[in-house]
Amino acid sequence: MRHQHVSRGALAGDVLAFVFESEQRVVAHCDRLLGAADLPEQDRNRLSRLRREAEVRLGELAFAAAA
């Protein structure tokens, strides 16, 4: 198996993009589940917390990408 040489900057950018997209998927998934009318309150609270945490990480990632 051959490995291509990848600069640290390119790799960091790829990782940053991957993590950013992952957090966006977490938010979208939580939104989809939170739309259910019959969701137990404990699950709704947990999903809301996970969504808020993902939003915070998205803000941090956006800040890191701008730096």
Side-chain angles (χ1 to χ4, degrees):
M1 175 187 285
R2 287 180 39 194
H3 297 280
Q4 287 183 313
H5 175 71
V6 179
S7 71
R8 285 182 190 242
L11 182 59
D14 289 346
V15 170
L16 190 61
F18 174 80
V19 175
F20 193 84
E21 290 171 16
S22 296
E23 294 299 341
Q24 288 177 319
R25 285 191 299 271
V26 168
V27 170
H29 187 67
C30 287
D31 285 346
R32 195 167 36 256
L33 292 172
L34 286 166
D38 60 346
L39 190 65
E41 190 65 26
Q42 184 178 1
D43 292 338
R44 185 171 303 282
N45 291 340
R46 192 172 115 217
L47 286 167
S48 294
R49 179 183 51 81
L50 289 172
R51 189 189 187 291
R52 281 191 309 272
E53 290 171 357
E55 287 284 348
V56 168
R57 286 189 297 271
L58 281 169
E60 292 168 349
L61 290 167
F63 182 78

